[in-house]
């Protein structure tokens, strides 16, 4: 019995010593200094997208001049729209000027003998009717009156007198065609002159474009009217 107890005590002591050695080894490993972690490299900032370049802008020229193309940044204007008193007067005059042209075309439906005259009258109504709405909208947006107080519309260039309008209303057939071509040609020429004058004194860019288009188109219409003149 004594021998067995001695052996058992030896085994227990050996196991205890082994456990102690293991614990010491583990603690030694935990106490070993570790290399510092390398600092994270900063993530390069992604470049701010600038987007595609805006398309160039086509700037219309004055009558007889070609349009030019310019970079968008050269013609961009973030300031408030500008206009002057001459812009306002042009719009206030052009509305009744167009209205008289529409009155003349209404007469053509039942009085003209040449079907080309009636077709031409239809084209004038289709073009100048919407233009009147645009001009009225320009005034309304700026809180301006539809007409200038005390302004005599009869003194506008190309405007036909009340007597001339009565003669046109009384005419029929070839006589009407001849009067219509002469009066509408004068009327168009007056509009071309008014529009061309505005290009040298006005400030509003929208009206500048309208005046350029009007002067060009009505000059073409005058040439067409000459082709419709009765023999």
């Amino acid at each position: 019995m004594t021998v067995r107890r001695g052996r058992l005590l030896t085994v227990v002591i050996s196991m205890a010593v082994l456990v102690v050695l293991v614990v010491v080894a583990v603690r030694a490993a935990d106490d070993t200094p570790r290399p510092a972690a390398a600092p994270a490299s900063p993530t390069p900032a992604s470049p701010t997208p600038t987007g595609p370049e805006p398309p160039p802008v086509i700037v219309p020229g004055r009558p007889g001049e070609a349009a030019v193309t310019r970079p968008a940044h050269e013609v961009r204007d973030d300031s408030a729209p500008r206009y002057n008193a001459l812009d306002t007067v042009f719009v206030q005059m052009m509305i009744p000027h167009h209205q008289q042209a529409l009155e003349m075309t209404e007469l053509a439906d039942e009085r003209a003998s040449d079907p080309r005259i009636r077709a031409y009258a239809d084209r004038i109504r289709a073009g100048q009717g919407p233009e009147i709405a645009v001009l009225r909208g320009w005034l309304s947006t700026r809180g301006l009156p539809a007409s200038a107080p005390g302004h005599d519309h009869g003194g506008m260039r190309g405007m036909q007198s009340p007597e001339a309008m009565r003669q046109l209303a009384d005419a029929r057939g070839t006589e009407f065609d001849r009067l219509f071509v002469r009066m509408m040609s004068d009327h168009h020429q007056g509009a071309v002159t008014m529009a061309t004058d505005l290009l040298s004194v006005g400030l509003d860019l929208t009206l500048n474009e309208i005046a350029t288009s009007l002067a060009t188109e009505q000059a073409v219409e005058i040439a067409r009217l000459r082709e419709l003149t009765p023999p």
Side-chain angles (χ1 to χ4, degrees):
M1 294 294 293
T2 302
V3 176
R4 289 182 179 178
R5 287 180 179 177
R7 290 179 179 176
L8 180 60
L9 182 58
T10 301
V11 172
V12 172
I13 292 172
S14 299
M15 292 181 63
V17 172
L18 181 60
V19 171
V20 171
L21 292 175
V22 171
V23 171
V24 172
V26 170
R27 288 182 178 179
D30 291 339
D31 293 339
T32 304
R34 298 179 180 178
S41 58
T43 302
S46 56
T48 302
T50 58
E53 288 291 330
V57 177
I58 298 177
V59 180
R62 295 184 177 183
E65 297 179 357
V68 296
T69 302
R70 295 182 180 174
H73 68 274
E74 291 185 3
V75 296
R76 181 178 177 181
D77 186 4
D78 294 329
S79 60
R82 298 183 302 161
Y83 65 94
N84 58 21
L86 297 173
D87 289 318
T88 302
V89 171
F90 170 80
V91 176
Q92 292 171 335
M93 290 194 306
M94 193 54 67
I95 290 174
H97 201 275
H98 276 11
Q99 287 173 332
Q100 187 180 69
L102 296 183
E103 292 175 11
M104 294 167 66
T105 60
E106 292 291 341
L107 296 174
D109 288 342
E110 297 180 358
R111 294 167 174 77
S113 62
D114 190 336
R116 296 178 301 166
I117 296 288
R118 293 192 293 271
Y120 180 87
D122 289 340
R123 186 164 59 248
I124 293 298
R125 283 195 296 269
Q128 297 199 13
E131 285 180 3
I132 290 175
V134 171
L135 295 172
R136 284 175 172 165
W138 189 92
L139 292 172
S140 176
T141 299
R142 292 157 179 78
L144 299 170
S147 61
H151 182 73
D152 180 17
H153 293 158
M156 289 186 293
R157 294 181 177 180
M159 201 72 170
Q160 302 300 300
S161 67
E163 177 60 29
M165 292 296 292
R166 283 192 293 269
Q167 291 180 0
L168 185 65
D170 292 340
R172 297 290 189 280
T174 303
E175 181 185 0
F176 176 88
D177 295 347
R178 185 176 293 105
L179 282 174
F180 180 88
V181 169
R182 178 178 59 78
M183 292 172 61
M184 189 62 79
S185 297
D186 292 343
H187 198 268
H188 281 353
Q189 185 58 57
V192 170
T193 302
M194 291 166 61
T196 304
D197 289 345
L198 180 71
L199 294 175
S200 61
V201 295
L203 292 179
D204 186 87
L205 295 179
T206 299
L207 292 184
N208 187 287
E209 295 174 359
I210 291 175
T212 299
S213 176
L214 190 153
T216 302
E217 292 176 1
Q218 297 214 5
V220 172
E221 295 297 338
I222 292 173
R224 290 176 178 172
L225 282 168
R226 290 172 180 167
E227 297 176 355
L228 301 179
T229 303

